[in-house]
Amino acid sequence: MIVNENCTIVSQKEIAGNIHELILRGELSTEMQEPGQFVHVKVADGHDPLLRRPISIANINHEKKEFTLIYRLEGRGTTLLSTKKEYETVDILGPLGHGFPIEETNPGETALLVGGGIGVPPLYELSQQLVARGVKVIHILGFQTKEVVFYEEKFMELGETFVTTVDGTYGIKGFVTDVMKDLSFDTIYSCGPKAMLKALETNYAADKKVYLSLEERMGCGIGACFACVCHTADDPTGFSYKKVCTDGPVFKAGEVVL
Amino acid sequence: MSRLEIDLPGLHLKNPVMPASGCFGFGREFGNLYNLSDLGAIMIKATTVEPRFGNPTPRVAETSAGMLNAIGLQNPGLEKVLNEELPWLAQYDVPIIANVAGSTEEDYVEVAKRISTAPNVHALELNISCPNVKTGGIAFGTIPEVAKSLTKKVKEVSEVPVYVKLSPNVTNIVEMAKAVEDGGADGLTMINTLLGMRLDLKSGNTILANKTGGLSGPAIKPVAIRMIYEVSQQVSIPIIGMGGIERAEDVIEFFYAGASAVAVGTANFVDPFACPKIIKDLPEILEQLGFDHISECTGRSWK
């Protein structure tokens, strides 16, 4: 069920260059089940900015009724959100969308989790749920440069973890796809830049199950405004469509036009 | 009788608050959140003869106290609306106002003729003011004679009263209103969005793929109030007012300007519970202001 609630800030801190981790407490956390879902955040009262900001859920703690959002300072909205302090509240609508299907990887099989930049956060909750299911996980986390790398240790606790940076200042120099060639796995779950998702679809969708989380500018986040639609792959120029906010954000590779 | 009940041509409204067309889809998303029978009416998303995918993305861009949209009348087409969307909505005790769009007069006439026969469609809203489609739409909404002629043709075939949705992107809104009244319109809905544009700081390009889009939200409320104030004094048909409404106080202001009911648009995107909240708050505001019935507020600014 979708709930609107003023959630209380448990903590907020910068965990890498311009990357913030925000932990919130609220009853709506009890509605969060699927990894890869998101919440729609009203970053400030009043009219500027007017619309909510979609932010993926990085961690769910049902026991404490807490959840974690990790976001990058991009513009006015996220900058305003970053000024909020412990004990203040944030207006949250959620959980929204359909997340990653963990049941597509059987216990004992291996899942490859591929994240790019600010696409990394939802993979953390996903990885925990896969591990709890008895799935072996391998992570490849791609970042631009050393100072924006985050959560490496947390992912290492769950499974083998490779970090790449585009400029080579940390980990392996290059793109996530460079690392994949030597690995064996059964499924791919990914979230990150569109170019990365396209590369995964092109190279792996033919013989692996690949699930991709898309990003798109959203209005309402609940499927009413038709701002975030995309064409379906079987009708790329026709009338059939999927909404990223409600049909996604996670799609099976080959389902929609990237 | 409840202090919020309103009767308008074709419409018996439990309360004067309804979601605006294009901001509520066909109701399904909101039906998961609250009982749609609580609404005064529902203005469903614009329907065209054939399905439309709409414009490329990005389709929305935020602005100060508002947003630009260029969805491009995406809809599943007349057949699906008649066979799937309207029957689904029939489970609720709420009158539907069907928004009718097209590129040619024939398109409008065909949609109006067929959609007005649906049992739960109690009125039509003629969309002659969408700024986001290349053909039709806006031309019908900016030339008084063209608007009048279209209204007449649609009136001839419609089984239910016809409201015409006016565009604010005109020099003389009163002239447009009078023209469609002459054409036989039973009511007006106003205002549609204001044509706008946003540019990206780094690339210099437009943010919307369609380049221009319609501005909505609190930013346009003063424009809507002014136009309703002017038009309501010059026509004798009722006005459903819209443009930036987000709370009960705004509803009263629209009534003061001359509206007889209101529609809530962009606020649904910010707070999906905006409509039921406004409906809940209205009686108390009326009490505070000393009105027995909301209709007493209509035109207070100029009466």
Side-chain angles (χ1 to χ4, degrees):
Chain A
M1 198 176 72
I2 299 170
V3 180
N4 184 203
E5 184 182 349
N6 286 315
C7 295
T8 306
I9 297 179
V10 176
S11 71
Q12 159 134 270
K13 58 178 186 246
E14 190 175 5
I15 54 171
N18 276 338
I19 307 287
H20 283 240
E21 178 198 66
L22 173 63
I23 301 178
L24 294 158
R25 185 184 300 122
E27 287 298 320
L28 62 68
S29 62
T30 59
E31 301 289 336
M32 296 174 178
Q33 302 297 338
E34 270 177 42
Q37 286 188 297
F38 65 98
V39 291
H40 223 12
V41 183
K42 186 90 173 83
V43 295
D45 293 339
H47 290 153
D48 197 14
L50 182 68
L51 299 175
R52 292 171 180 272
R53 299 290 184 274
I55 302 178
S56 63
I57 300 162
N59 186 43
I60 308 164
N61 185 335
H62 282 131
E63 209 169 286
K64 292 183 174 172
K65 294 189 175 173
E66 291 175 2
F67 59 100
T68 304
L69 308 180
I70 295 172
Y71 62 94
R72 181 166 60 202
L73 264 66
E74 289 277 359
R76 255 180 59 75
T78 41
T79 303
L80 278 168
L81 183 61
S82 72
T83 63
K84 294 225 179 195
K85 304 270 187 305
E86 215 175 310
Y87 303 118
E88 285 185 64
T89 60
V90 186
D91 178 345
I92 304 281
L93 182 74
L96 303 174
H98 285 104
F100 293 105
I102 55 169
E103 66 281 0
E104 292 294 336
T105 314
N106 294 316
E109 290 185 330
T110 301
L112 182 66
L113 280 60
V114 185
I118 205 60
V120 167
L123 301 184
Y124 183 56
E125 176 61 29
L126 171 66
S127 183
Q128 292 175 81
Q129 292 199 22
L130 287 168
V131 168
R133 189 179 153 76
V135 171
K136 185 186 169 214
V137 292
I138 304 173
H139 315 104
I140 309 176
L141 313 176
F143 298 95
Q144 281 296 324
T145 187
K146 183 184 178 183
E147 66 158 6
V148 295
V149 175
F150 60 90
Y151 266 42
E152 184 188 8
E153 304 77 28
K154 286 182 185 279
F155 278 99
M156 281 167 68
E157 287 168 19
L158 296 164
E160 195 177 359
T161 303
F162 301 90
V163 172
T164 68
T165 50
V166 176
D167 64 2
T169 48
Y170 191 81
I172 303 157
K173 181 175 164 57
F175 293 101
V176 292
T177 40
D178 302 334
V179 182
M180 292 175 65
K181 295 179 200 108
D182 311 321
L183 301 170
S184 78
F185 47 86
D186 300 288
T187 45
I188 298 176
Y189 299 97
S190 182
C191 182
K194 202 165 263 186
M196 186 185 95
L197 302 182
K198 273 187 181 166
L200 294 176
E201 182 172 89
T202 308
N203 296 322
Y204 295 97
D207 51 300
K208 301 272 188 224
K209 283 189 278 190
V210 180
Y211 297 91
L212 309 173
S213 183
L214 269 58
E215 195 181 33
E216 184 57 83
R217 263 171 200 270
M218 288 182 191
C220 67
I222 61 167
C225 75
F226 288 79
C228 64
V229 298
C230 51
H231 285 283
T232 56
D234 57 5
D235 185 21
T237 55
F239 305 118
S240 73
Y241 63 89
K242 295 281 179 185
K243 295 173 191 166
V244 174
C245 67
T246 49
D247 297 316
V250 176
F251 294 96
K252 191 171 186 184
E255 193 179 350
V256 298
V257 178
L258 293 178
Chain B
M1 189 172 151
S2 143
R3 66 203 312 175
L4 296 182
E5 255 175 275
I6 294 272
D7 280 304
L8 294 176
L11 301 165
H12 176 74
L13 310 175
K14 288 187 278 278
N15 63 71
V17 180
M18 61 192 85
S21 180
C23 302
F24 208 72
F26 293 91
R28 290 179 191 265
E29 294 76 18
F30 293 87
N32 292 328
L33 302 178
Y34 60 85
N35 183 358
L36 301 186
S37 301
D38 294 345
L39 297 166
I42 296 174
M43 292 168 145
I44 55 172
K45 195 157 169 47
T47 301
T48 51
V49 178
E50 299 297 331
R52 284 179 60 94
F53 182 81
N55 293 323
T57 59
R59 294 172 164 192
V60 295
E62 206 170 21
T63 65
S64 297
M67 66 179 274
L68 292 167
N69 88 79
I71 307 298
L73 298 181
Q74 179 162 23
N75 78 93
L78 181 59
E79 290 305 325
K80 272 207 168 168
V81 172
L82 280 172
N83 296 327
E84 293 171 26
E85 303 300 342
L86 287 168
W88 182 84
L89 279 164
Q91 68 183 292
Y92 297 103
D93 173 28
V94 62
I96 305 300
I97 302 175
N99 186 292
V100 174
S103 335
T104 64
E105 239 175 32
E106 293 71 34
D107 288 350
Y108 282 97
V109 166
E110 185 177 348
V111 176
K113 190 176 178 177
R114 298 194 47 210
I115 211 164
S116 67
T117 62
N120 52 340
V121 169
H122 292 219
L124 301 185
E125 180 182 47
L126 205 52
N127 188 350
I128 58 166
S129 44
C130 180
N132 298 326
V133 288
K134 297 275 179 285
T135 53
I138 199 73
F140 291 106
T142 50
I143 304 166
E145 277 312 308
V146 178
K148 181 180 167 180
S149 153
L150 181 68
T151 306
K152 233 181 210 167
K153 292 228 163 71
V154 168
K155 271 295 287 177
E156 279 167 16
V157 299
S158 178
E159 306 275 333
V160 295
V162 176
Y163 292 70
V164 180
K165 188 166 190 173
L166 297 184
S167 168
N169 303 307
V170 294
T171 318
N172 189 340
I173 188 90
V174 172
E175 194 186 358
M176 287 301 301
K178 283 180 155 172
V180 300
E181 186 182 33
D182 280 351
D186 298 284
L188 302 169
T189 67
M190 55 190 286
I191 58 175
N192 206 322
T193 54
L194 289 143
L195 203 52
M197 183 185 271
R198 259 202 71 194
L199 303 174
D200 182 76
L201 194 61
K202 284 179 191 152
S203 69
N205 296 329
T206 59
I207 290 179
L208 295 173
N210 188 53
K211 295 191 168 58
T212 61
L215 178 65
S216 64
I220 72 165
K221 200 183 88 177
V223 181
I225 295 289
R226 187 265 295 176
M227 289 186 158
I228 293 167
Y229 173 85
E230 289 175 356
V231 168
S232 61
Q233 296 177 67
Q234 301 290 326
V235 298
S236 52
I237 49 178
I239 296 171
I240 301 175
M242 62 196 72
I245 293 175
E246 43 172 19
R247 53 177 66 91
E249 288 85 343
D250 299 330
V251 176
I252 303 293
E253 196 176 341
F254 272 76
F255 270 70
Y256 283 172
S260 298
V262 295
V264 177
T266 304
N268 291 299
F269 299 156
V270 182
D271 176 4
F273 300 94
C275 287
K277 278 182 191 165
I278 292 170
I279 293 164
K280 183 176 154 282
D281 291 345
L282 267 176
E284 199 184 315
I285 304 275
L286 289 174
E287 186 68 37
Q288 284 169 13
L289 294 167
F291 295 106
D292 291 328
H293 195 276
I294 191 156
S295 57
E296 295 163 31
C297 301
T298 298
R300 190 187 181 200
S301 61
W302 51 262
K303 270 179 185 166

